[in-house]
Amino acid sequence: MVTQASYQAAVEQVRSRLLAIVGARWASLGSYRDADIDRLARLVVPLVRAGQVQVANLTAAYFRQVGATAGVDVSVITGGRGVPAAEVYRRPAVTTYTALSEGKSVSAAIALGGDRLASLVSTDLQLAKTYQAERSLRSSGVTAYRRVLTGRENCALCVIASTQRYWVGDLMPIHPGCDCGVDTIPRGWGPDRQVIDQDLLDL
């Protein structure tokens, strides 16, 4: 049996490995001109797509335990933003150029661009997880879900969200960098009940 903890650990392993590779690529560019950024995007986009598919497969495997039958549709999993990926992965350069125009040092501007790149990668992996979770839960007949805290990126908004019941059609990251997990509603809690963890909500 795949537990929520082992599933989340496997997803985090994919995320950490991908962030390390992409971060190293960004840091080793040497120059951050248009041609360099285009080259970076050509390298990064396939890596991110591969990571998205890995996360989707892990998610599909986890939810098979509740009878989910939906497989991974790569076009759905990797097409979440509605914007060409090559365009998305030029945004860290825009962040860097903007920081330079505001008088920040070169090293500070590059660091800000690197942070933007990491946020984009994390969000794309989270989108893959939520899109696949929705496909899987729908295929199993599950209509409601809960958010599960991972303990890594949990802000106050995530904590509050983890106490509530949500409908499967509303599966999306809450904020950039959000890494909340997804799970079914605990046994004995009907989908008509909004609050599923009153004690945590009251803290």
Side-chain angles (χ1 to χ4, degrees):
M1 178 178 176
V2 181
T3 66
Q4 176 70 209
S6 64
Y7 159 57
Q8 289 297 345
V11 169
E12 175 58 18
Q13 187 175 43
V14 173
R15 187 177 84 115
S16 297
R17 185 170 61 243
L18 183 56
L19 285 175
I21 293 170
V22 170
R25 297 281 190 183
W26 175 260
S28 66
L29 278 180
S31 171
Y32 294 82
R33 300 183 185 280
D34 285 346
D36 302 298
I37 300 305
D38 289 340
R39 178 165 48 88
L40 176 76
R42 286 194 298 270
L43 290 168
V44 166
V45 169
L47 293 173
V48 172
R49 285 182 173 159
Q52 289 175 302
V53 171
Q54 284 183 287
V55 167
N57 277 314
L58 289 167
T59 302
Y62 177 72
F63 284 114
R64 281 192 200 106
Q65 297 173 145
V66 293
T69 58
V72 174
D73 184 333
V74 175
S75 65
V76 172
I77 298 307
T78 63
R81 291 180 183 270
V83 178
E87 183 178 329
V88 169
Y89 282 93
R90 286 191 58 82
R91 293 175 186 172
V94 174
T95 298
T96 300
Y97 303 154
T98 300
L100 289 171
S101 73
E102 294 170 348
K104 291 186 171 58
S105 68
V106 172
S107 59
I110 291 171
L112 287 170
D115 290 344
R116 181 76 185 278
L117 178 60
S119 177
L120 290 170
V121 170
S122 293
T123 298
D124 274 343
L125 293 183
Q126 184 71 359
L127 285 169
K129 179 165 64 173
T130 56
Y131 286 149
Q132 183 59 44
E134 179 176 359
R135 285 172 54 79
S136 293
L137 290 171
R138 283 188 186 280
S139 74
S140 68
V142 173
T143 59
Y145 76 96
R146 63 186 173 114
R147 293 181 181 273
V148 179
L149 300 176
T150 65
R152 290 182 297 273
E153 305 288 342
N154 304 140
C155 65
L157 184 59
C158 290
V159 172
I160 292 171
S162 73
T163 68
Q164 308 292 306
R165 179 266 300 142
Y166 294 93
W167 300 116
V168 166
D170 299 327
L171 265 164
M172 286 293 284
I174 296 178
H175 57 78
C178 177
D179 69 346
C180 289
V182 176
D183 210 347
T184 54
I185 300 295
R187 289 184 181 277
W189 293 80
D192 57 328
R193 188 167 180 177
Q194 179 64 42
V195 178
I196 59 175
D197 191 338
Q198 189 66 56
D199 291 342
L200 182 58
L201 182 61
D202 290 341
L203 285 179

